[in-house]
Amino acid sequence: MPIVLFLIVDAISTNLNDTCYSAAIHELVNRHSVQRLSSLTQSAISLSSILSPALGVGLYSFVGFTGFIGLEIIATIAAFGVMLTMHFHYQPRNQQIAPQSHHDQLKSFRLGITYMQSRTMIKLTILLSVILNFFYTAVTIGTPYILKAQLHTSNGPVGVLETGSAIGMLLGSLMLSIFPTGNQTRLFWKLMMPVLVIDIQIGLLGLLFSTSQSAANYAIIGSLIMGILALALVILNITFQVYLQQTVPTQLLGRVVATMTTVNSLLLIGYTLLLLKPLHQAIRTDQSSSI
């Protein structure tokens, strides 16, 4: 129970932090630097994903579990200290858009929903984001299972594929930080080209698993595919984030981001609930056949 409670509180805190950060970007940098900030932030996340496994194993063997908890507390306090040094440039609110009463949360929620309903582009991109993130999550979770349970490989190819995905995210973030494309010209192709690349890479990954029997091919070709897939997804996500930052009023930005997060979570919860019964039946069948 303590672990479950901790994970619940941690998830709530992370979602609140991410939503508030997305809503506050306008008050940290001007609109011309939004893409660079988003790209550099994603680069830091990707770099930590590459370095953290090896660094984490070394630190864990050196300080142990209790020491690891202490390091986590120190890191959190350091992050809080960095946040206190930030200078926010608050923008004047548009009185026609901002809610009249700060205590009327229901009215505020309805205001955000009404605004999103009036923006067809936002509705379509939210739907696109939900679908792509759903399939990408299915790929990242399903790939290790396919390699281990279906293709009977060692842990090596799984680690190589995850490393390739992290490197792809890092390269995509660095590309957008070096070559910013913050204007909204040719937005259709900026969104559709990564989508097409993602579709092709998912198909190639399925073809690889269906036709090849070599663990080396899974590791080498699979890591290349996962890297390109992750690169395209990062470019798509950052392009969409910049679009939201530049077109959605600051006072409504947090609600739009929170709605996207909620819809993604609801889709994943629905998918999990749909899988409960088939998974339970598969486990019972497998146990019966093994006896």
Side-chain angles (χ1 to χ4, degrees), residues 12-31:
I12 293 174
S13 301
T14 300
N15 286 333
L16 286 174
N17 180 76
D18 291 343
T19 301
C20 293
Y21 171 77
S22 299
I25 287 182
H26 278 168
E27 277 119 14
L28 286 171
V29 297
N30 58 48
R31 59 177 294 148

Side-chain angles (χ1 to χ4, degrees), residues 108-127:
S108 177
F109 173 76
R110 289 175 177 172
L111 182 64
I113 296 296
T114 301
Y115 175 78
M116 284 184 284
Q117 289 178 340
S118 67
R119 296 284 304 276
T120 303
M121 181 63 184
I122 291 181
K123 291 189 292 184
L124 292 176
T125 47
I126 288 177
L127 178 63

Side-chain angles (χ1 to χ4, degrees), residues 142-200:
T143 297
Y145 171 78
I146 293 174
L147 290 173
K148 293 286 293 181
Q150 302 295 323
L151 301 177
H152 308 290
T153 67
S154 63
N155 292 325
V158 177
V160 174
L161 260 67
E162 291 180 353
T163 302
S165 179
I167 292 175
M169 288 186 177
L170 178 61
L171 291 177
S173 304
L174 291 176
M175 284 174 55
L176 290 180
S177 64
I178 297 174
F179 305 105
T181 57
N183 57 74
Q184 299 305 317
T185 60
R186 300 180 180 177
L187 180 63
F188 175 80
W189 290 111
K190 291 177 183 178
L191 293 175
M192 291 309 300
M193 288 302 296
V195 171
L196 294 176
V197 172
I198 291 172
D199 292 342
I200 293 172

Side-chain angles (χ1 to χ4, degrees), residues 97-111:
I97 298 179
Q100 298 298 318
S101 173
H102 294 286
H103 302 286
D104 191 354
Q105 298 300 322
L106 182 59
K107 180 180 178 181
S108 177
F109 173 76
R110 289 175 177 172
L111 182 64

